[in-house]
Amino acid sequence: MKTILTLTFVCVFCAIGASAQNPGLTRGPYLQMAIPEQDEPGKPYVSAGITVRWRTAIASKGAVMYSTDPDFRTNKVVREPAAVTDHSVQITGLESDTRYYYSVEAYDPFWKVESTEYHFFTTPPKKGVQKKTKIWVLGDFGTDPPTKFNTRQDSTIDAIQEYMRLNNTGPMDLWLWLGDNAYDIGSDNDFQQNIFDKTRARYDWAFRQTPFYATPGNHDYRDGGPSSRLTHQIHYFSVVDNFKNGEAGGVPSGKEEYYSFDYSNIHFISLDSYGFEKAGDTDASILAPESVQHKWLIADLQQARANPAINWIIVFTHMPPYTGGTHNSDSEPELAAIRRNLVPLLDTYKVDLLFTGHSHNYERSRLMRGHYEGSTTFRKVIHNPADGSNAKSSGKYDGTPNSCFYYKTSGSATNEGIIHVVNGGGGRGEYFQRNRPLIDSVMYMASTTGGSVYVEVENKKLIARYIGANKKVLDEFVIYKDLDNFTVPVTDGTARIATCECTEDLGPNRSFTHYLDNKANLLLSINRHGTNIGKVGVAPFEVKLVGAPGRTNVGAFYPGNYVRASQMRTFSSGWRVMNRYWTVKPAVELTGNNQVTVRHYFKFADEVSLSSTNLDDQVHGQMLKFYKINQTGTTTYDPDPRSGSHSALPGALTYNQNGLWIYEGSFVPSLNQWKAGFLGKGGFYPRTDSFYGEIVVGKLAGSGGIGGQGGWINPAGAITVLRAGDRWSYMAKGVPPEKGVYTWKDASFAVDRYYDLSAWEEGGAPLGYSPGGEDGEKRVLPACQSERNCYEADEDGARFIPGCQFTPCTTRWTTTYFRRALFNYWGYDSFFKSVMISYRRDDGVIIYINGKELLPRDANMPAGAITDATFASNAAAQEHQWYTIVVPNDNQYLRPGLNIIAVELHQNSATSSDAYFDMEIVLSPDVLTSPVRTGITEALLSGPATTLYPNPSEGPIVYLDKPLVYNKLYVSDQKGVLYRKEEQPGIVSELDISALPLGMLILVAWDEEKVVRYKIIKK
């Protein structure tokens, strides 16, 4: 590379006299060494830059005017200091990834040498920044002088230009020359006539806009005679300016014979596969382990592999290690030496592509590794071994049999293989094949039709197409790395079926198999953990991703479906599921304790669909619940939520049994938890809108999807926030709780938190006392001071101390006090419309919620002011039955967060024989206007009009001796939990109790203004 003094300054040329002589442009202009902007810590800043070269007939002082404005209204100029014929101007200080227009000129005297609207270049992206990169690869091309027309060289040019026009590619970003660039001996005249000639200007359209990067071939080394392989005194090095000092990344080689550079996320390496390094070298010495070039290559590959911004390594040189075309790598020693010296090194450092020329045809391998000898030793099972990478595929990804893309894993310990491309048909017109058996075994495809290769790299997707001189795409292959360029498809009603699969090379416990359709849409991933489940394309195995936009709400019909409700089956439910779901038909089902990990992908829009317009009813992030619907044996379920199938889907008893199994959000996937992840560079929308969750499943047959419900809860209708039988603090001492600064039922949040409960005891409901414990109280309470003196209580229970003598109570305390701190996690969720407060008491209660009395008051309590000495009135019968008060969930009573429930239990006299208290609080999604438990307002008939039999019953059916006509009908247990609710008029003559619990059941039927009640005993 010549060292050129450069001066940069702002200038507008002035008119020069018409007598100035035209220097006569004979070569170029062409572009070299596009340098990316580099701003790395600890290193000098380097601006983007480029070199513009041209040749003139007479010596002149050259200059380049450039601007981002095509009209050059603002511009800068770089001038050469002296008059020359071979011009080289280095432009620096440029912006990254920016189009610049330029004009090649002479000054002193001034002459506009060449300038058109097509004279422009685009600088590389800043180092470490990715962009879609387009590459034209051309080999063995400069063969015909301008007096020859319609040759292979011309047809190859026409074909690539038509491809670019039809596919709207725009200018190429890089242009690779694969050697034997100018026939026949690489002389100045060969380059001038066959490549740079201005009368034909064959390549000027590319020279003006795209920098080229070359490698020397054996014909280039003929310039200067046989000694040139050692002296390297050839015209080739006068044509090119190469990155010998690592100007664009890579390890400096100090030589223009071989060099490397970075562009976007690609590392390019150009090697000299024909020149000698020292006297005494032979063909076997080239790239041999002891050579300087080999040692430099190791250092360069190591640096590239260690750079996280580099995703691809492309090597180009002239001599192919494998070819059966116009040359034969089995019989030509120089090619065998390249195979032995170079290919093991490329395998070791996970090179992706090797482009070569020399043979004047096209040949392309599959993903290949580990083959360093003659073609007769090649074995697909050994040298195309990476089945998870589809190494035995054609790689075309065009829907033809065995055409799935190649897949490589950046984090794999070994290379899945290299694609070897022989691309020497850019001009030289030879049409034969010397070693067809090599082509048939080592190569996937070969063609004697001339042409060139178009390569497109976007992030971690690489597409290469061989554009034949006949203007046809004769070959193509696709490589994907990792998941980055797979697309998580939108949910649009399309049923997508997997047509390809690929598996990561990260070891058995970390490697997922990815299932994709014919457009690289990522449908599902499964970590098989070494288990055989089948393969795409081999029936009956099948993977689908299905669904329409939006969500489906699911009712709470447990046990008829998996959505539970605390009170009855027909409550509404806040549970909703995405209409997006996947299905799998394994060829081999999992058995025993075998498990696989499934990764389900979804879009941000799918997640948004689960939330309502109410800010209190959002479902996102770890609030999501993943589900798996298992289908075993002959059992089948409709997986489409829109069909209403979820209303009849049972819950699975375990992770590998029939039905639907729910997974909670977590950080590690397991049999009941899912782990979140995302695709792309970001972690949150809008940096990425593609997410996934991983779950561990014990059965693959069936389907899966995502649902959710506000408040972080599992699928549910009504939610019990205080259960019957829960623990309460109680004060049974004959005196009211202390009324100091902190009151026991105060509504102040701060006071409620710090009320002193040291004088209180604690136990589970029901709490009370009765003769001989006949009322079934769980925690016995003292009724008077003499019992109190012999009473002890701890977390295990309460009792009267054995041996302690006390006098039976003649009078009993009037009031006992109960207190419960309740944290309402769902208080913010407006999905719940009603609060149901149900209680059982003997004799009467006053209930306070956050200091406010619950109304209407218990019918057993008198109206007016209530004191600690107020007796209950016993206005209501059936003291132990459940009574329910329904209030709106509008924060009048319950509030979000901490709540205090305070209850006074009053006796109806000082000699009352028993006391009893229990409570339950349920949030319902329904707007309720009357109690759902059996209340006190219904008028009872004197006796039933119908007889039930058998009763008690051991069978599934209870019959009525005559049909019962009703307007509405409830079936509950004696606690009041409803199992059936009929709101429309009907007639019943038998009752199926098979799904109901053992014990006493209550059937209540309303007809007009009357109500009948039956007790049913299920044994």
Side-chain angles (χ1 to χ4, degrees):
M1 183 194 302
K2 297 179 176 65
T3 302
I4 305 296
L5 178 63
T6 62
L7 301 173
T8 304
F9 56 94
V10 177
C11 175
V12 177
F13 279 126
C14 301
I16 304 296
S19 61
Q21 185 179 2
N22 186 346
L25 182 66
T26 60
R27 178 178 294 189
Y30 62 93
L31 304 172
Q32 294 281 274
M33 292 182 60
I35 298 174
E37 180 185 3
Q38 300 160 61
D39 189 8
E40 300 175 275
K43 296 183 179 180
Y45 172 79
V46 177
S47 66
I50 201 165
T51 298
V52 183
R53 294 191 59 175
W54 70 98
R55 176 182 284 184
T56 53
I58 62 175
S60 62
K61 295 180 180 178
V64 176
M65 179 172 63
Y66 62 97
S67 175
T68 56
D69 177 8
D71 295 324
F72 296 95
R73 285 167 291 195
T74 60
N75 60 76
K76 293 183 178 181
V77 177
V78 180
R79 292 179 171 181
E80 289 179 311
V84 293
T85 54
D86 284 315
H87 303 266
S88 181
V89 170
Q90 298 172 357
I91 305 174
T92 60
L94 303 178
E95 297 294 324
S96 294
D97 198 14
T98 301
R99 174 175 287 190
Y100 287 88
Y101 298 86
Y102 68 96
S103 174
V104 174
E105 301 173 341
Y107 75 98
D108 194 20
F110 170 77
W111 196 273
K112 187 176 289 295
V113 177
E114 187 170 272
S115 178
T116 70
E117 60 184 305
Y118 304 109
H119 282 71
F120 59 81
F121 58 83
T122 300
T123 53
K126 186 176 181 179
K127 187 174 183 180
V129 175
Q130 294 185 3
K131 66 168 287 187
K132 184 176 181 179
T133 303
K134 296 158 294 182
I135 310 162
W136 184 29
V137 186
L138 186 64
D140 298 73
F141 62 97
T143 183
D144 297 318
T147 54
K148 288 188 177 181
F149 293 84
N150 302 317
T151 63
R152 174 188 269 195
Q153 183 175 358
D154 294 327
S155 298
T156 297
I157 295 170
D158 291 344
I160 190 65
Q161 286 185 303
E162 179 170 295
Y163 178 86
M164 293 169 62
R165 177 178 58 82
L166 293 177
N167 291 276
N168 196 29
T169 66
M172 298 293 103
D173 297 300
L174 304 98
W175 181 12
L176 306 186
W177 292 10
L178 300 182
D180 283 4
N181 306 295
Y183 283 90
D184 189 47
I185 62 170
S187 65
D188 187 322
N189 185 66
D190 288 341
F191 274 95
Q192 187 63 33
Q193 292 294 307
N194 301 346
I195 298 177
F196 289 113
D197 173 71
K198 294 296 290 184
T199 60
R200 290 285 299 278
R202 283 183 171 115
Y203 300 102
D204 278 16
W205 57 275
F207 282 139
R208 295 178 186 129
Q209 301 171 0
T210 303
F212 69 82
Y213 304 93
T215 188
N218 56 298
H219 280 268
D220 300 314
Y221 265 107
R222 289 185 180 182
D223 185 33
S227 63
S228 62
R229 291 187 74 180
L230 178 61
T231 65
H232 298 200
Q233 297 299 309
I234 56 177
H235 183 67
Y236 165 85
F237 294 110
S238 298
V239 172
V240 299
D241 290 332
N242 292 333
F243 294 116
K244 68 179 184 180
N245 296 314
E247 295 91 339
V251 173
S253 66
K255 295 179 177 295
E256 289 193 295
E257 286 85 345
Y258 51 89
Y259 58 96
S260 65
F261 62 98
D262 298 335
Y263 189 100
S264 183
N265 61 336
I266 313 166
H267 185 66
F268 293 90
I269 302 174
S270 173
L271 298 175
D272 182 359
S273 53
Y274 196 71
F276 293 149
E277 290 184 356
K278 63 184 185 304
D281 278 353
T282 64
D283 290 333
S285 306
I286 297 173
L287 283 164
E290 65 276 10
S291 68
V292 176
Q293 185 175 199
H294 187 100
K295 294 174 182 177
W296 167 82
L297 180 57
I298 290 176
D300 189 71
L301 287 169
Q302 288 175 337
Q303 178 175 292
R305 288 257 54 96
N307 185 351
I310 297 300
N311 303 128
W312 302 94
I313 299 179
I314 296 176
V315 176
F316 60 105
T317 191
H318 183 64
M319 294 293 189
Y322 313 97
T323 180
T326 61
H327 289 274
N328 183 356
S329 59
D330 279 352
S331 60
E332 298 178 32
E334 63 269 28
L335 304 186
I338 293 296
R339 184 169 61 248
R340 289 191 299 268
N341 293 340
L342 176 61
V343 177
L345 192 57
L346 305 187
D347 274 346
T348 298
Y349 290 98
K350 300 180 61 176
V351 167
D352 300 297
L353 286 176
L354 175 62
F355 280 110
T356 57
H358 198 51
S359 270
H360 304 149
N361 51 273
Y362 175 82
E363 301 167 75
R364 193 262 293 179
S365 75
R366 300 172 178 87
L367 275 181
M368 183 168 64
R369 71 183 185 198
H371 184 249
Y372 314 127
E373 301 301 328
S375 63
T376 58
T377 66
F378 181 86
R379 300 291 182 272
K380 282 186 179 181
V381 70
I382 298 174
H383 303 117
N384 301 136
D387 287 339
S389 293
N390 301 320
K392 297 179 179 66
S393 162
S394 72
K396 289 186 173 183
Y397 199 30
D398 60 358
T400 57
N402 194 27
S403 67
C404 287
F405 53 82
Y406 300 120
Y407 183 74
K408 303 185 76 173
T409 307
S410 296
S412 65
T414 58
N415 196 1
E416 295 94 331
I418 301 170
I419 301 293
H420 293 263
V421 179
V422 179
N423 178 39
R428 191 70 159 183
E430 296 172 314
Y431 305 93
F432 55 87
Q433 296 173 334
R434 294 183 184 273
N435 190 341
R436 188 69 209 187
L438 181 151
I439 292 173
D440 292 338
S441 60
V442 175
M443 299 299 176
Y444 162 71
M445 189 270 185
S447 174
T448 57
T449 301
S452 60
V453 175
Y454 169 79
V455 180
E456 183 176 288
V457 177
E458 186 170 13
N459 193 2
K460 294 185 181 180
K461 177 185 179 182
L462 184 150
I463 301 174
R465 295 187 175 101
Y466 183 57
I467 314 301
N470 56 4
K471 299 185 179 180
K472 296 180 180 180
V473 177
L474 300 180
D475 182 36
E476 64 181 316
F477 60 90
V478 180
I479 308 175
Y480 283 98
K481 282 196 176 182
D482 309 322
L483 295 181
D484 295 52
N485 273 78
F486 293 150
T487 300
V488 176
V490 297
T491 308
D492 59 4
T494 302
R496 296 176 169 89
I497 301 177
T499 59
C500 283
E501 67 176 65
C502 58
T503 303
E504 297 166 337
D505 185 15
L506 297 172
N509 293 323
R510 296 176 55 206
S511 297
F512 276 84
T513 297
H514 308 297
Y515 299 93
L516 302 101
D517 67 6
N518 58 0
K519 296 181 179 178
N521 287 309
L522 184 57
L523 311 186
L524 197 72
S525 298
I526 301 176
N527 188 335
R528 298 176 294 187
H529 302 293
T531 302
N532 175 29
I533 61 174
K535 186 175 180 63
V536 167
V538 181
F541 187 85
E542 182 184 78
V543 174
K544 281 186 179 181
L545 179 67
V546 194
R551 73 186 194 192
T552 295
N553 293 331
V554 182
F557 303 118
Y558 183 82
N561 75 343
Y562 62 93
V563 184
R564 297 173 178 265
S566 295
Q567 290 296 304
M568 66 179 78
R569 297 173 64 221
T570 53
F571 270 128
S572 303
S573 164
W575 176 252
R576 54 268 196 179
V577 295
M578 295 178 189
N579 291 333
R580 180 190 188 101
Y581 63 94
W582 55 266
T583 66
V584 170
K585 293 180 182 178
V588 182
E589 181 56 282
L590 303 174
T591 59
N593 293 323
N594 287 341
Q595 300 158 11
V596 298
T597 304
V598 175
R599 183 183 289 169
H600 174 43
Y601 301 90
F602 59 99
K603 305 293 283 187
F604 180 70
D606 298 311
E607 183 175 344
V608 170
S609 74
L610 287 182
S611 291
S612 70
T613 56
N614 190 322
L615 294 178
D616 296 335
D617 192 21
Q618 303 299 299
V619 178
H620 52 80
Q622 296 282 36
M623 298 172 69
L624 299 175
K625 311 290 182 183
F626 282 66
Y627 66 82
K628 169 65 173 65
I629 301 174
N630 296 325
Q631 296 183 170
T632 62
T634 59
T635 303
T636 59
Y637 301 109
D638 184 346
D640 190 347
R642 295 171 297 166
S643 69
S645 58
H646 279 245
S647 295
L649 266 173
L653 297 179
T654 63
Y655 72 94
N656 59 2
Q657 293 188 16
N658 272 328
L660 186 143
W661 186 253
I662 295 289
Y663 296 81
E664 304 268 1
S666 182
F667 299 100
V668 178
S670 69
L671 293 172
N672 50 31
Q673 295 177 323
W674 66 274
K675 171 190 173 183
F678 58 86
L679 297 186
K681 298 294 184 183
F684 302 97
Y685 183 82
R687 284 187 289 172
T688 182
D689 70 344
S690 300
F691 305 90
Y692 64 80
E694 292 178 9
I695 60 176
V696 178
V697 305
K699 294 294 179 186
L700 265 177
S703 61
I706 306 172
Q709 183 164 339
W712 297 81
I713 57 180
N714 278 330
I719 298 297
T720 301
V721 295
L722 176 64
R723 297 184 179 278
D726 276 356
R727 296 176 71 84
W728 289 77
S729 297
Y730 62 90
M731 173 78 75
K733 296 184 177 181
V735 294
E738 181 182 350
K739 293 184 175 69
V741 176
Y742 301 140
T743 175
W744 71 291
K745 57 188 177 185
D746 199 289
S748 166
F749 182 80
V751 171
D752 292 343
R753 292 185 64 185
Y754 299 110
Y755 178 73
D756 183 8
L757 289 172
S758 61
W760 294 61
E761 289 154 321
E762 185 179 329
L767 304 102
Y769 53 83
S770 62
E774 64 184 14
D775 290 344
E777 58 271 8
K778 185 190 297 184
R779 173 62 65 111
V780 65
L781 303 179
C784 62
Q785 189 60 47
S786 64
E787 290 185 356
R788 180 80 228 180
N789 294 337
C790 290
Y791 181 80
E792 67 176 4
D794 54 35
E795 62 181 18
D796 296 323
R799 66 203 67 82
F800 295 108
I801 301 171
C804 181
Q805 301 296 318
F806 59 87
T807 303
C809 299
T810 56
T811 61
R812 291 175 170 80
W813 294 323
T814 302
T815 306
T816 306
Y817 307 89
F818 304 92
R819 188 178 191 274
R820 172 62 189 252
L822 172 68
F823 201 90
N824 181 16
Y825 294 94
W826 303 276
Y828 294 97
D829 193 346
S830 61
F831 161 74
F832 296 106
K833 303 298 189 300
S834 303
V835 183
M836 300 182 295
I837 300 110
S838 302
Y839 59 89
R840 293 199 290 179
R841 82 285 184 264
D842 186 353
D843 291 302
V845 289
I846 299 293
I847 301 171
Y848 300 92
I849 301 179
N850 296 320
K852 180 178 180 178
E853 183 183 351
L854 178 66
L855 299 176
R857 182 177 288 179
D858 179 13
N860 261 10
M861 294 301 295
I866 302 294
T867 70
D868 297 319
T870 301
F871 286 116
S873 63
N874 261 21
Q878 300 193 22
E879 295 166 329
H880 290 176
Q881 80 172 39
W882 285 95
Y883 294 88
T884 300
I885 297 172
V886 179
V887 295
N889 185 29
D890 56 5
N891 294 333
Q892 290 188 45
Y893 289 101
L894 282 184
R895 63 193 177 196
L898 185 65
N899 294 264
I900 299 299
I901 315 299
V903 179
E904 299 175 2
L905 176 64
H906 292 256
Q907 297 294 77
N908 64 4
S909 72
T911 59
S912 178
S913 62
D914 50 9
Y916 191 94
F917 170 71
D918 200 354
M919 181 181 282
E920 184 176 75
I921 299 178
V922 174
L923 300 181
S924 169
D926 291 326
V927 177
L928 301 176
T929 58
S930 62
V932 295
R933 290 193 183 276
T934 304
I936 62 174
T937 60
E938 298 89 351
L940 296 176
L941 293 176
S942 59
T946 303
T947 300
L948 279 70
Y949 65 92
N951 190 15
S953 174
E954 295 180 348
I957 305 295
V958 174
Y959 300 92
L960 289 78
D961 64 346
K962 55 184 175 181
L964 177 64
V965 180
Y966 61 86
N967 285 337
K968 62 178 181 177
L969 179 146
Y970 288 176
V971 178
S972 69
D973 61 16
Q974 62 178 341
K975 183 180 175 183
V977 175
L978 290 179
Y979 294 98
R980 181 175 176 183
K981 179 181 179 183
E982 304 292 345
E983 297 283 274
Q984 301 298 320
I987 300 174
V988 61
S989 57
E990 62 183 47
L991 187 67
D992 185 350
I993 62 171
S994 60
L996 304 185
L998 301 177
M1000 182 182 292
L1001 303 170
I1002 307 296
L1003 183 152
V1004 184
W1006 287 260
D1007 182 12
E1008 302 299 337
E1009 299 300 323
K1010 301 174 184 178
V1011 61
V1012 292
R1013 182 180 291 109
Y1014 303 87
K1015 291 183 179 179
I1016 304 169
I1017 305 299
K1018 181 177 179 182
K1019 298 175 66 175

